[in-house]
Amino acid sequence: MKKIILTGDRPTGKLHVGHYVGSLKRRVELQNSGEFDEIYIMIADAQALTDNFDNPEKVRQNIIEVALDYLSVGLDPAKSTLFIQSMVPQLTELSFYYMNLVTVARVQRNPTVKSEIQMRGFGGSIPVGFFCYPISQAADITAFKATLVPVGEDQLPMLEQTKEIVRSFNRIYNCEALVEPDIMLPDNDICRRLPGTDGKAKMSKSLGNCIYLSDDEKTVQQKIMNMYTDPTHIKVSDPGHLEGNTVFTYLDAFSKEEDFVKYLPEYKNLDELKEHYTRGGLGDVKIKRFLNSIMQAELEPIRARRKEYEKDIAAVYDILRADSDRARQVAEATLQDVKDAMKINYFADEELIRAQAAKYQG
Ligand code: ATP
Ligand code: MG
């Protein structure tokens, strides 16, 4: 069986370091491993519209931002297909058929959807489109017969839902048209859901607590210097707490042992640094400066590559157009398999037409 990846992001803003550690970094590694037959990276504009339908301009403006972020982290159009969801209408058609296989109660149980509904303040007025987006995600994944979906932890329920749809479909229509995907979460627990710079549970475009991949050096530094730490750690001599301390969470996510040799040689590793902080006598500024050095080193090559691509925006749109065409062909083939399995092939089935005619000729 072919090894195929599908994953993507909503164009609701520029991509941030949460996306980077949660998914982008892994994608680039997988892409460059040469182990995959096909890789599809989708800009999920149709999904973004489910909760931004009143602001299509926002979605439209952010497509190029996400594309630039993709290219700047090292996603390579020669190896990966970078496409736009709405340019593949077959996905919408698949979603419509999959909706029959999912109950309202099942969608209501989806914990990510639940918390997003709350976060977005929909109250009792949840758009049906938003409510159904896990089903549309199943369409995105299965249209490309993806075997692996590298994403952050919030996507676990979506993958579960997709697997259920695949199993139901193949059972009900007695076929093997759809392929069950596996999820791939980051190995490092913290990278599965990186908190925002405000210490809130998740860095998210919609919450404005992000360090963006495209932020310039000064902005990144300011965001790090203003990061939420331990509010009880007032004097340097005070013992500090690690729990909920965003700077340490980020060090868990970003720092490597080499970074200590390079930027903070008085400590051997993160454990030593943590030990000193909890004991007292270590100031926040020093740790923030350390984190800043690490993050700037990681982000600098990304920023540099972005600058290159920014010089020819039309060429980036050309990549998206060509890749969307390619994606459409692949999704069309799956849609045909699905419709064949559901016997939606009325005109292609001469036997059906003959039999119906015979019935009426008595
Ligand atoms: P929105 O607020 O519009 O939903 P978002 O910041 O949550 O935006 P998405 O486009 O929904 O971003 O998510 C894209 C991918 O990035 C998903 O795989 C998701 O799991 C991952 N991801 C998003 N935020 C984080 C985070 N803070 N930590 C780790 N992974 C993340
Ligand atoms: Mg999201």
PDB file of all heavy atoms in Angstrom, residues 193-227:
ATOM      1  N   ARG A 193       0.531  20.473  22.168  1.00  0.00           N
ATOM      2  CA  ARG A 193      -0.372  21.599  22.439  1.00  0.00           C
ATOM      3  C   ARG A 193       0.435  22.688  23.127  1.00  0.00           C
ATOM      4  O   ARG A 193       0.440  22.814  24.354  1.00  0.00           O
ATOM      5  CB  ARG A 193      -1.517  21.125  23.341  1.00  0.00           C
ATOM      6  CG  ARG A 193      -2.577  22.185  23.604  1.00  0.00           C
ATOM      7  CD  ARG A 193      -3.605  21.653  24.580  1.00  0.00           C
ATOM      8  NE  ARG A 193      -4.324  20.526  24.009  1.00  0.00           N
ATOM      9  CZ  ARG A 193      -5.558  20.601  23.532  1.00  0.00           C
ATOM     10  NH1 ARG A 193      -6.213  21.719  23.585  1.00  0.00           N
ATOM     11  NH2 ARG A 193      -6.145  19.541  23.038  1.00  0.00           N
ATOM     12  N   LEU A 194       1.126  23.458  22.342  1.00  0.00           N
ATOM     13  CA  LEU A 194       1.975  24.505  22.915  1.00  0.00           C
ATOM     14  C   LEU A 194       1.087  25.623  23.455  1.00  0.00           C
ATOM     15  O   LEU A 194       0.205  26.107  22.753  1.00  0.00           O
ATOM     16  CB  LEU A 194       2.915  25.058  21.835  1.00  0.00           C
ATOM     17  CG  LEU A 194       4.042  25.944  22.353  1.00  0.00           C
ATOM     18  CD1 LEU A 194       5.125  25.102  23.017  1.00  0.00           C
ATOM     19  CD2 LEU A 194       4.641  26.782  21.231  1.00  0.00           C
ATOM     20  N   PRO A 195       1.298  26.049  24.716  1.00  0.00           N
ATOM     21  CA  PRO A 195       0.463  27.134  25.234  1.00  0.00           C
ATOM     22  C   PRO A 195       0.825  28.475  24.586  1.00  0.00           C
ATOM     23  O   PRO A 195       1.889  28.616  23.993  1.00  0.00           O
ATOM     24  CB  PRO A 195       0.789  27.155  26.726  1.00  0.00           C
ATOM     25  CG  PRO A 195       2.106  26.506  26.856  1.00  0.00           C
ATOM     26  CD  PRO A 195       2.259  25.551  25.710  1.00  0.00           C
ATOM     27  N   GLY A 196      -0.071  29.441  24.737  1.00  0.00           N
ATOM     28  CA  GLY A 196       0.194  30.791  24.233  1.00  0.00           C
ATOM     29  C   GLY A 196       1.177  31.519  25.132  1.00  0.00           C
ATOM     30  O   GLY A 196       1.463  31.075  26.254  1.00  0.00           O
ATOM     31  N   THR A 197       1.674  32.676  24.659  1.00  0.00           N
ATOM     32  CA  THR A 197       2.630  33.442  25.454  1.00  0.00           C
ATOM     33  C   THR A 197       1.974  33.995  26.719  1.00  0.00           C
ATOM     34  O   THR A 197       2.645  34.399  27.659  1.00  0.00           O
ATOM     35  CB  THR A 197       3.186  34.636  24.645  1.00  0.00           C
ATOM     36  OG1 THR A 197       2.075  35.334  24.075  1.00  0.00           O
ATOM     37  CG2 THR A 197       4.111  34.172  23.530  1.00  0.00           C
ATOM     38  N   ASP A 198       0.640  34.010  26.761  1.00  0.00           N
ATOM     39  CA  ASP A 198      -0.089  34.477  27.937  1.00  0.00           C
ATOM     40  C   ASP A 198      -0.305  33.347  28.950  1.00  0.00           C
ATOM     41  O   ASP A 198      -0.994  33.521  29.943  1.00  0.00           O
ATOM     42  CB  ASP A 198      -1.450  35.056  27.515  1.00  0.00           C
ATOM     43  CG  ASP A 198      -2.270  34.063  26.698  1.00  0.00           C
ATOM     44  OD1 ASP A 198      -1.779  32.930  26.447  1.00  0.00           O
ATOM     45  OD2 ASP A 198      -3.399  34.402  26.319  1.00  0.00           O
ATOM     46  N   GLY A 199       0.239  32.168  28.632  1.00  0.00           N
ATOM     47  CA  GLY A 199       0.095  31.036  29.539  1.00  0.00           C
ATOM     48  C   GLY A 199      -1.216  30.289  29.375  1.00  0.00           C
ATOM     49  O   GLY A 199      -1.450  29.283  30.044  1.00  0.00           O
ATOM     50  N   LYS A 200      -2.079  30.758  28.463  1.00  0.00           N
ATOM     51  CA  LYS A 200      -3.359  30.062  28.228  1.00  0.00           C
ATOM     52  C   LYS A 200      -3.087  28.720  27.555  1.00  0.00           C
ATOM     53  O   LYS A 200      -2.049  28.511  26.920  1.00  0.00           O
ATOM     54  CB  LYS A 200      -4.268  30.915  27.343  1.00  0.00           C
ATOM     55  CG  LYS A 200      -4.696  32.220  27.998  1.00  0.00           C
ATOM     56  CD  LYS A 200      -6.198  32.215  28.310  1.00  0.00           C
ATOM     57  CE  LYS A 200      -6.587  33.362  29.212  1.00  0.00           C
ATOM     58  NZ  LYS A 200      -6.468  34.676  28.529  1.00  0.00           N
ATOM     59  N   ALA A 201      -4.091  27.857  27.666  1.00  0.00           N
ATOM     60  CA  ALA A 201      -3.902  26.455  27.280  1.00  0.00           C
ATOM     61  C   ALA A 201      -3.292  26.243  25.892  1.00  0.00           C
ATOM     62  O   ALA A 201      -2.472  25.362  25.702  1.00  0.00           O
ATOM     63  CB  ALA A 201      -5.230  25.727  27.368  1.00  0.00           C
ATOM     64  N   LYS A 202      -3.668  27.036  24.911  1.00  0.00           N
ATOM     65  CA  LYS A 202      -3.205  26.728  23.559  1.00  0.00           C
ATOM     66  C   LYS A 202      -2.849  28.005  22.815  1.00  0.00           C
ATOM     67  O   LYS A 202      -3.601  28.967  22.858  1.00  0.00           O
ATOM     68  CB  LYS A 202      -4.340  25.999  22.815  1.00  0.00           C
ATOM     69  CG  LYS A 202      -4.009  25.591  21.397  1.00  0.00           C
ATOM     70  CD  LYS A 202      -5.184  24.827  20.789  1.00  0.00           C
ATOM     71  CE  LYS A 202      -4.941  24.450  19.337  1.00  0.00           C
ATOM     72  NZ  LYS A 202      -5.306  25.457  18.367  1.00  0.00           N
ATOM     73  N   MET A 203      -1.692  27.974  22.178  1.00  0.00           N
ATOM     74  CA  MET A 203      -1.378  29.080  21.271  1.00  0.00           C
ATOM     75  C   MET A 203      -2.303  28.932  20.081  1.00  0.00           C
ATOM     76  O   MET A 203      -2.386  27.874  19.478  1.00  0.00           O
ATOM     77  CB  MET A 203       0.080  29.000  20.825  1.00  0.00           C
ATOM     78  CG  MET A 203       0.450  30.122  19.867  1.00  0.00           C
ATOM     79  SD  MET A 203       2.199  30.152  19.432  1.00  0.00           S
ATOM     80  CE  MET A 203       2.928  30.825  20.908  1.00  0.00           C
ATOM     81  N   SER A 204      -3.041  29.983  19.774  1.00  0.00           N
ATOM     82  CA  SER A 204      -4.021  29.868  18.699  1.00  0.00           C
ATOM     83  C   SER A 204      -4.200  31.206  18.009  1.00  0.00           C
ATOM     84  O   SER A 204      -4.289  32.241  18.656  1.00  0.00           O
ATOM     85  CB  SER A 204      -5.350  29.386  19.286  1.00  0.00           C
ATOM     86  OG  SER A 204      -6.384  29.617  18.366  1.00  0.00           O
ATOM     87  N   LYS A 205      -4.235  31.123  16.666  1.00  0.00           N
ATOM     88  CA  LYS A 205      -4.410  32.326  15.856  1.00  0.00           C
ATOM     89  C   LYS A 205      -5.585  33.150  16.351  1.00  0.00           C
ATOM     90  O   LYS A 205      -5.554  34.367  16.363  1.00  0.00           O
ATOM     91  CB  LYS A 205      -4.698  31.943  14.411  1.00  0.00           C
ATOM     92  CG  LYS A 205      -3.596  31.242  13.711  1.00  0.00           C
ATOM     93  CD  LYS A 205      -4.038  31.000  12.273  1.00  0.00           C
ATOM     94  CE  LYS A 205      -3.696  29.611  11.781  1.00  0.00           C
ATOM     95  NZ  LYS A 205      -4.862  28.742  11.620  1.00  0.00           N
ATOM     96  N   SER A 206      -6.650  32.453  16.755  1.00  0.00           N
ATOM     97  CA  SER A 206      -7.866  33.159  17.147  1.00  0.00           C
ATOM     98  C   SER A 206      -7.758  33.794  18.533  1.00  0.00           C
ATOM     99  O   SER A 206      -8.628  34.544  18.929  1.00  0.00           O
ATOM    100  CB  SER A 206      -9.057  32.211  17.119  1.00  0.00           C
ATOM    101  OG  SER A 206      -9.079  31.528  15.901  1.00  0.00           O
ATOM    102  N   LEU A 207      -6.734  33.445  19.300  1.00  0.00           N
ATOM    103  CA  LEU A 207      -6.641  33.975  20.666  1.00  0.00           C
ATOM    104  C   LEU A 207      -5.617  35.111  20.805  1.00  0.00           C
ATOM    105  O   LEU A 207      -5.525  35.738  21.861  1.00  0.00           O
ATOM    106  CB  LEU A 207      -6.292  32.852  21.653  1.00  0.00           C
ATOM    107  CG  LEU A 207      -7.332  31.736  21.792  1.00  0.00           C
ATOM    108  CD1 LEU A 207      -6.838  30.665  22.764  1.00  0.00           C
ATOM    109  CD2 LEU A 207      -8.672  32.275  22.254  1.00  0.00           C
ATOM    110  N   GLY A 208      -4.861  35.375  19.742  1.00  0.00           N
ATOM    111  CA  GLY A 208      -3.898  36.482  19.767  1.00  0.00           C
ATOM    112  C   GLY A 208      -2.813  36.314  20.826  1.00  0.00           C
ATOM    113  O   GLY A 208      -2.422  37.281  21.468  1.00  0.00           O
ATOM    114  N   ASN A 209      -2.355  35.104  21.043  1.00  0.00           N
ATOM    115  CA  ASN A 209      -1.296  34.870  22.029  1.00  0.00           C
ATOM    116  C   ASN A 209      -0.121  34.130  21.388  1.00  0.00           C
ATOM    117  O   ASN A 209       0.454  33.223  21.968  1.00  0.00           O
ATOM    118  CB  ASN A 209      -1.857  34.068  23.210  1.00  0.00           C
ATOM    119  CG  ASN A 209      -2.478  32.769  22.761  1.00  0.00           C
ATOM    120  OD1 ASN A 209      -2.384  32.385  21.601  1.00  0.00           O
ATOM    121  ND2 ASN A 209      -3.096  32.057  23.685  1.00  0.00           N
ATOM    122  N   CYS A 210       0.199  34.564  20.186  1.00  0.00           N
ATOM    123  CA  CYS A 210       1.114  33.787  19.345  1.00  0.00           C
ATOM    124  C   CYS A 210       2.458  34.462  19.122  1.00  0.00           C
ATOM    125  O   CYS A 210       2.549  35.684  19.073  1.00  0.00           O
ATOM    126  CB  CYS A 210       0.507  33.584  17.959  1.00  0.00           C
ATOM    127  SG  CYS A 210      -1.144  32.912  17.994  1.00  0.00           S
ATOM    128  N   ILE A 211       3.467  33.623  18.914  1.00  0.00           N
ATOM    129  CA  ILE A 211       4.710  34.079  18.286  1.00  0.00           C
ATOM    130  C   ILE A 211       4.650  33.531  16.864  1.00  0.00           C
ATOM    131  O   ILE A 211       4.608  32.312  16.655  1.00  0.00           O
ATOM    132  CB  ILE A 211       5.946  33.528  19.013  1.00  0.00           C
ATOM    133  CG1 ILE A 211       6.006  34.097  20.436  1.00  0.00           C
ATOM    134  CG2 ILE A 211       7.223  33.860  18.238  1.00  0.00           C
ATOM    135  CD1 ILE A 211       7.145  33.546  21.274  1.00  0.00           C
ATOM    136  N   TYR A 212       4.576  34.452  15.905  1.00  0.00           N
ATOM    137  CA  TYR A 212       4.435  34.019  14.516  1.00  0.00           C
ATOM    138  C   TYR A 212       5.785  33.699  13.903  1.00  0.00           C
ATOM    139  O   TYR A 212       6.801  34.311  14.269  1.00  0.00           O
ATOM    140  CB  TYR A 212       3.721  35.106  13.697  1.00  0.00           C
ATOM    141  CG  TYR A 212       2.305  35.281  14.143  1.00  0.00           C
ATOM    142  CD1 TYR A 212       1.934  36.327  14.975  1.00  0.00           C
ATOM    143  CD2 TYR A 212       1.332  34.357  13.755  1.00  0.00           C
ATOM    144  CE1 TYR A 212       0.628  36.468  15.413  1.00  0.00           C
ATOM    145  CE2 TYR A 212       0.022  34.489  14.190  1.00  0.00           C
ATOM    146  CZ  TYR A 212      -0.320  35.541  15.022  1.00  0.00           C
ATOM    147  OH  TYR A 212      -1.605  35.659  15.464  1.00  0.00           O
ATOM    148  N   LEU A 213       5.779  32.757  12.980  1.00  0.00           N
ATOM    149  CA  LEU A 213       7.021  32.393  12.287  1.00  0.00           C
ATOM    150  C   LEU A 213       7.583  33.587  11.536  1.00  0.00           C
ATOM    151  O   LEU A 213       8.777  33.683  11.314  1.00  0.00           O
ATOM    152  CB  LEU A 213       6.750  31.247  11.298  1.00  0.00           C
ATOM    153  CG  LEU A 213       6.349  29.921  11.931  1.00  0.00           C
ATOM    154  CD1 LEU A 213       5.948  28.925  10.857  1.00  0.00           C
ATOM    155  CD2 LEU A 213       7.499  29.374  12.775  1.00  0.00           C
ATOM    156  N   SER A 214       6.703  34.502  11.143  1.00  0.00           N
ATOM    157  CA  SER A 214       7.135  35.646  10.346  1.00  0.00           C
ATOM    158  C   SER A 214       7.407  36.895  11.195  1.00  0.00           C
ATOM    159  O   SER A 214       7.741  37.938  10.656  1.00  0.00           O
ATOM    160  CB  SER A 214       6.068  35.955   9.301  1.00  0.00           C
ATOM    161  OG  SER A 214       4.794  36.016   9.918  1.00  0.00           O
ATOM    162  N   ASP A 215       7.243  36.794  12.515  1.00  0.00           N
ATOM    163  CA  ASP A 215       7.589  37.941  13.374  1.00  0.00           C
ATOM    164  C   ASP A 215       9.068  38.283  13.224  1.00  0.00           C
ATOM    165  O   ASP A 215       9.905  37.373  13.163  1.00  0.00           O
ATOM    166  CB  ASP A 215       7.329  37.596  14.860  1.00  0.00           C
ATOM    167  CG  ASP A 215       5.863  37.745  15.249  1.00  0.00           C
ATOM    168  OD1 ASP A 215       5.114  38.385  14.493  1.00  0.00           O
ATOM    169  OD2 ASP A 215       5.486  37.212  16.311  1.00  0.00           O
ATOM    170  N   ASP A 216       9.378  39.584  13.211  1.00  0.00           N
ATOM    171  CA  ASP A 216      10.800  39.929  13.099  1.00  0.00           C
ATOM    172  C   ASP A 216      11.489  39.725  14.454  1.00  0.00           C
ATOM    173  O   ASP A 216      10.844  39.471  15.473  1.00  0.00           O
ATOM    174  CB  ASP A 216      11.000  41.354  12.560  1.00  0.00           C
ATOM    175  CG  ASP A 216      10.383  42.397  13.475  1.00  0.00           C
ATOM    176  OD1 ASP A 216      10.297  42.151  14.703  1.00  0.00           O
ATOM    177  OD2 ASP A 216       9.977  43.465  12.977  1.00  0.00           O
ATOM    178  N   GLU A 217      12.804  39.841  14.416  1.00  0.00           N
ATOM    179  CA  GLU A 217      13.624  39.513  15.578  1.00  0.00           C
ATOM    180  C   GLU A 217      13.181  40.283  16.827  1.00  0.00           C
ATOM    181  O   GLU A 217      13.020  39.716  17.915  1.00  0.00           O
ATOM    182  CB  GLU A 217      15.084  39.834  15.241  1.00  0.00           C
ATOM    183  CG  GLU A 217      16.038  39.325  16.268  1.00  0.00           C
ATOM    184  CD  GLU A 217      17.502  39.603  15.899  1.00  0.00           C
ATOM    185  OE1 GLU A 217      17.789  39.795  14.686  1.00  0.00           O
ATOM    186  OE2 GLU A 217      18.319  39.637  16.818  1.00  0.00           O
ATOM    187  N   LYS A 218      12.919  41.573  16.623  1.00  0.00           N
ATOM    188  CA  LYS A 218      12.577  42.424  17.758  1.00  0.00           C
ATOM    189  C   LYS A 218      11.232  42.027  18.370  1.00  0.00           C
ATOM    190  O   LYS A 218      11.088  41.981  19.596  1.00  0.00           O
ATOM    191  CB  LYS A 218      12.519  43.882  17.270  1.00  0.00           C
ATOM    192  CG  LYS A 218      13.181  44.794  18.252  1.00  0.00           C
ATOM    193  CD  LYS A 218      13.361  46.184  17.765  1.00  0.00           C
ATOM    194  CE  LYS A 218      13.006  47.094  18.931  1.00  0.00           C
ATOM    195  NZ  LYS A 218      12.635  48.417  18.485  1.00  0.00           N
ATOM    196  N   THR A 219      10.274  41.741  17.502  1.00  0.00           N
ATOM    197  CA  THR A 219       8.938  41.347  17.975  1.00  0.00           C
ATOM    198  C   THR A 219       9.014  40.052  18.779  1.00  0.00           C
ATOM    199  O   THR A 219       8.403  39.932  19.847  1.00  0.00           O
ATOM    200  CB  THR A 219       7.983  41.171  16.778  1.00  0.00           C
ATOM    201  OG1 THR A 219       8.090  42.336  15.953  1.00  0.00           O
ATOM    202  CG2 THR A 219       6.558  40.974  17.214  1.00  0.00           C
ATOM    203  N   VAL A 220       9.776  39.099  18.268  1.00  0.00           N
ATOM    204  CA  VAL A 220       9.921  37.822  18.994  1.00  0.00           C
ATOM    205  C   VAL A 220      10.522  38.085  20.368  1.00  0.00           C
ATOM    206  O   VAL A 220      10.036  37.583  21.390  1.00  0.00           O
ATOM    207  CB  VAL A 220      10.803  36.827  18.195  1.00  0.00           C
ATOM    208  CG1 VAL A 220      11.110  35.584  19.026  1.00  0.00           C
ATOM    209  CG2 VAL A 220      10.124  36.438  16.888  1.00  0.00           C
ATOM    210  N   GLN A 221      11.549  38.915  20.380  1.00  0.00           N
ATOM    211  CA  GLN A 221      12.212  39.205  21.645  1.00  0.00           C
ATOM    212  C   GLN A 221      11.239  39.854  22.637  1.00  0.00           C
ATOM    213  O   GLN A 221      11.165  39.451  23.800  1.00  0.00           O
ATOM    214  CB  GLN A 221      13.397  40.130  21.395  1.00  0.00           C
ATOM    215  CG  GLN A 221      14.238  40.310  22.637  1.00  0.00           C
ATOM    216  CD  GLN A 221      15.384  41.284  22.423  1.00  0.00           C
ATOM    217  OE1 GLN A 221      15.553  41.832  21.323  1.00  0.00           O
ATOM    218  NE2 GLN A 221      16.163  41.496  23.452  1.00  0.00           N
ATOM    219  N   GLN A 222      10.464  40.835  22.138  1.00  0.00           N
ATOM    220  CA  GLN A 222       9.494  41.494  23.022  1.00  0.00           C
ATOM    221  C   GLN A 222       8.479  40.502  23.573  1.00  0.00           C
ATOM    222  O   GLN A 222       8.156  40.516  24.759  1.00  0.00           O
ATOM    223  CB  GLN A 222       8.729  42.576  22.253  1.00  0.00           C
ATOM    224  CG  GLN A 222       9.430  43.916  22.280  1.00  0.00           C
ATOM    225  CD  GLN A 222       8.866  44.865  21.230  1.00  0.00           C
ATOM    226  OE1 GLN A 222       7.939  44.530  20.501  1.00  0.00           O
ATOM    227  NE2 GLN A 222       9.438  46.055  21.156  1.00  0.00           N
ATOM    228  N   LYS A 223       7.988  39.639  22.698  1.00  0.00           N
ATOM    229  CA  LYS A 223       6.984  38.666  23.149  1.00  0.00           C
ATOM    230  C   LYS A 223       7.556  37.737  24.206  1.00  0.00           C
ATOM    231  O   LYS A 223       6.889  37.377  25.167  1.00  0.00           O
ATOM    232  CB  LYS A 223       6.441  37.879  21.952  1.00  0.00           C
ATOM    233  CG  LYS A 223       5.516  38.726  21.067  1.00  0.00           C
ATOM    234  CD  LYS A 223       4.966  37.938  19.904  1.00  0.00           C
ATOM    235  CE  LYS A 223       4.002  38.821  19.090  1.00  0.00           C
ATOM    236  NZ  LYS A 223       3.530  38.141  17.863  1.00  0.00           N
ATOM    237  N   ILE A 224       8.805  37.358  24.011  1.00  0.00           N
ATOM    238  CA  ILE A 224       9.430  36.465  24.996  1.00  0.00           C
ATOM    239  C   ILE A 224       9.668  37.211  26.315  1.00  0.00           C
ATOM    240  O   ILE A 224       9.382  36.685  27.397  1.00  0.00           O
ATOM    241  CB  ILE A 224      10.748  35.872  24.447  1.00  0.00           C
ATOM    242  CG1 ILE A 224      10.434  34.900  23.305  1.00  0.00           C
ATOM    243  CG2 ILE A 224      11.534  35.164  25.561  1.00  0.00           C
ATOM    244  CD1 ILE A 224      11.633  34.360  22.579  1.00  0.00           C
ATOM    245  N   MET A 225      10.121  38.455  26.235  1.00  0.00           N
ATOM    246  CA  MET A 225      10.388  39.206  27.457  1.00  0.00           C
ATOM    247  C   MET A 225       9.092  39.478  28.246  1.00  0.00           C
ATOM    248  O   MET A 225       9.119  39.623  29.460  1.00  0.00           O
ATOM    249  CB  MET A 225      11.133  40.520  27.167  1.00  0.00           C
ATOM    250  CG  MET A 225      12.554  40.347  26.621  1.00  0.00           C
ATOM    251  SD  MET A 225      13.566  38.993  27.285  1.00  0.00           S
ATOM    252  CE  MET A 225      14.318  39.748  28.709  1.00  0.00           C
ATOM    253  N   ASN A 226       7.957  39.522  27.526  1.00  0.00           N
ATOM    254  CA  ASN A 226       6.668  39.753  28.214  1.00  0.00           C
ATOM    255  C   ASN A 226       5.919  38.470  28.558  1.00  0.00           C
ATOM    256  O   ASN A 226       4.774  38.510  28.990  1.00  0.00           O
ATOM    257  CB  ASN A 226       5.752  40.604  27.325  1.00  0.00           C
ATOM    258  CG  ASN A 226       6.271  42.019  27.202  1.00  0.00           C
ATOM    259  OD1 ASN A 226       6.841  42.545  28.150  1.00  0.00           O
ATOM    260  ND2 ASN A 226       6.096  42.617  26.033  1.00  0.00           N
ATOM    261  N   MET A 227       6.557  37.369  28.348  1.00  0.00           N
ATOM    262  CA  MET A 227       5.879  36.089  28.540  1.00  0.00           C
ATOM    263  C   MET A 227       5.452  35.864  29.989  1.00  0.00           C
ATOM    264  O   MET A 227       6.133  36.302  30.915  1.00  0.00           O
ATOM    265  CB  MET A 227       6.858  34.987  28.141  1.00  0.00           C
ATOM    266  CG  MET A 227       6.256  33.876  27.379  1.00  0.00           C
ATOM    267  SD  MET A 227       7.610  32.778  26.910  1.00  0.00           S
ATOM    268  CE  MET A 227       7.215  32.533  25.224  1.00  0.00           C
TER     269      MET A 227
END
